[in-house]
Amino acid sequence: MTNRENILSLIKRQGYEKISPSFSLCPSLMETYRREEHTDMSYSDKYSFAMGSVSQWKEIKTDPEQYRSYYRQPLKEGTRLDMWGVAHEKGSDAAMHMTRMLHPLENAESADDIINYPLPDYTVINIEQLRAECDGVKHSDKLCIGQMQMTIWETAWYLRGMENLMMDMMSGDETADILLDRVTETAVIRAQNFAKAGADAIFLGDDIGMQKSVMMSETLYCKYLLPRLKAVIRAAREINPHILVFYHSCGYIMPFIPLLIEAGVDVLNPVQPEGMDFAEVHALYGDRLSFYGTIGTQTTFPFGTPDDVKRAVIRNLDIAGKQGGLIVAPTHMLEPEVPWENVKAYIAACRDYA
């Protein structure tokens, strides 16, 4: 089988011939990779990754400067405004996502404040151009995945602030529905664009778990988030009934997994071992879900030995079995404290397993 055929068969739990690695490196580990491997080749090409991503954000022409007026105090020098207007104060140069977020709707006082806030317009996306990008990924023998992480919940609380949005939801304030509806409408358009462009999958996600517990009650989740997630998936599948749905949430989310299956999720990422045991998750849901991740980036990758990494890879692939259903991978970006020997051990374990 080709890489593309192999990963599709694995995801569908119909068997596989090989295990392709999948990981992302922080900037400092990128430097380590180039130095240790003596190459400028992308690591996804060097190690024959079976999945490639496309996005839509590059075509959005929103001027981030329009959002400065939403902040009551001047932003610190070096603070970046993203396309949604969320401010990111500079953090570590080595770890790309270590920033302090400031929320433009934190001080919103009325429904009109939420309604009038300018969100990115994804109706402007050139579908033919996006289709060409998707075709390029497929022609490189990779599964084409449309990236849509931070789909509903995270996007909304980034805008409003988590504490504020939680209080809006718990008190039944109409602003919670208004904001979540507006974010969902945008997510629906993004999902439809990927489906029209021929992406094999969409990668949705919102962190709804903490290290050892869920972030909210099932009651709140079912009232505010589940129907909206269903709407996004339904919109994509009305265009392409066969599009695969990946879903990301860090942390412990055991009570929510049946609800994600109900919503139409095919692949759950990352099954963080510090919060959930893959053997238990697989025993309960492995007949209905496939998985992506399972090798800890808080524990095994930074603090284990190369043999620890190999054992974790073998253990989890053995649990998944001959039918597949596991894209074994780190549960998050590999950060500066991960020894390069552990990355090489992971790659070797994937290569040697089948």
Side-chain angles (χ1 to χ4, degrees):
M1 289 190 280
T2 65
N3 278 345
R4 180 178 160 77
E5 291 169 342
N6 183 77
I7 194 71
L8 277 168
S9 185
L10 183 149
I11 289 171
K12 295 176 180 179
R13 302 182 297 282
Q14 297 172 348
Y16 62 93
E17 293 179 353
K18 55 191 172 185
I19 299 295
S20 298
S22 176
F23 56 88
S24 60
L25 302 177
C26 70
S28 68
L29 275 184
M30 279 287 296
E31 295 177 8
T32 301
Y33 157 72
R34 295 189 186 103
R35 182 178 66 251
E36 293 291 330
E37 303 302 322
H38 309 289
T39 183
D40 288 325
M41 180 188 298
S42 73
Y43 55 85
S44 62
D45 288 338
K46 179 174 175 60
Y47 301 119
S48 300
F49 284 16
M51 298 183 292
S53 297
V54 293
S55 64
Q56 299 176 42
W57 61 269
K58 291 180 182 177
E59 283 193 56
I60 304 300
K61 305 303 182 184
T62 301
D63 179 10
E65 293 303 311
Q66 69 178 306
Y67 296 111
R68 286 192 181 273
S69 62
Y70 287 87
Y71 296 94
R72 291 182 176 177
Q73 295 181 339
L75 300 175
K76 291 182 180 179
E77 185 177 352
T79 298
R80 176 180 62 87
L81 288 165
D82 67 23
M83 61 187 294
W84 296 85
V86 178
H88 301 261
E89 284 188 3
K90 187 174 174 59
S92 166
D93 289 328
M96 62 174 289
H97 57 282
M98 297 300 179
T99 63
R100 178 191 178 201
M101 284 192 296
L102 304 173
H103 316 289
L105 290 174
E106 184 173 21
N107 298 306
E109 297 177 350
S110 68
D112 285 344
D113 289 341
I114 306 293
I115 292 169
N116 295 325
Y117 184 81
L119 296 182
D121 180 10
Y122 281 90
T123 64
V124 304
I125 297 298
N126 184 322
I127 300 299
E128 291 309 309
Q129 181 176 324
L130 188 60
R131 184 188 303 278
E133 292 181 32
C134 291
D135 288 344
V137 173
K138 294 177 183 178
H139 292 157
S140 66
D141 195 21
K142 295 178 180 179
L143 191 76
C144 178
I145 300 179
Q147 285 292 345
M148 286 183 56
Q149 289 190 56
M150 298 181 295
T151 310
I152 301 169
W153 164 242
E154 283 193 76
T155 301
W157 80 250
Y158 284 11
L159 291 166
R160 178 77 170 118
M162 184 182 289
E163 183 176 349
N164 285 339
L165 184 54
M166 283 282 197
M167 290 192 295
D168 294 342
M169 292 161 62
M170 293 183 71
S171 65
D173 193 305
E174 65 173 343
T175 57
D177 281 309
I178 293 169
L179 178 57
L180 289 166
D181 280 345
R182 292 200 67 205
V183 169
T184 301
E185 289 166 7
T186 302
V188 162
I189 295 168
R190 294 161 68 195
Q192 290 172 327
N193 288 346
F194 281 129
K196 291 174 184 176
D200 296 307
I202 49 176
F203 202 131
L204 312 180
D206 289 305
D207 285 341
I208 49 177
M210 298 184 289
Q211 193 79 348
K212 298 295 181 182
S213 66
V214 292
M215 194 173 287
M216 66 187 73
S217 69
E218 289 184 57
T219 300
L220 277 183
Y221 181 81
C222 289
K223 179 179 180 180
Y224 286 104
L225 300 183
L226 180 61
R228 292 175 169 94
L229 176 62
K230 287 181 176 180
V232 174
I233 295 173
R234 183 169 60 247
R237 287 196 169 137
E238 284 174 352
I239 296 168
N240 176 7
H242 304 293
I243 198 165
L244 295 167
V245 177
F246 287 60
Y247 186 91
H248 166 88
S249 175
C250 291
Y252 173 84
I253 59 166
M254 285 292 282
F256 294 147
I257 294 176
L259 301 175
L260 296 175
I261 295 171
E262 177 187 328
V265 170
D266 298 297
V267 183
L268 181 63
N269 167 264
V271 194
Q272 188 178 336
E274 296 84 6
M276 298 187 293
D277 177 55
F278 177 58
E280 179 184 2
V281 175
H282 188 272
L284 291 169
Y285 307 113
D287 59 335
R288 289 167 285 169
L289 268 184
S290 292
F291 306 94
Y292 176 20
T294 76
I295 311 299
T297 53
Q298 293 179 344
T299 49
T300 305
F301 263 104
F303 304 119
T305 65
D307 283 343
D308 291 332
V309 173
K310 289 181 179 179
R311 279 193 294 269
V313 169
I314 292 167
R315 170 191 182 266
N316 291 352
L317 288 172
D318 283 347
I319 289 168
K322 293 181 179 179
Q323 75 276 8
L326 172 62
I327 305 167
V328 67
T331 53
H332 214 287
M333 173 181 289
L334 296 176
E335 300 281 13
E337 64 270 17
V338 175
W340 188 246
E341 290 76 11
N342 285 1
V343 182
K344 291 169 66 176
Y346 159 72
I347 295 166
C350 292
R351 180 194 64 219
D352 296 343
Y353 184 83

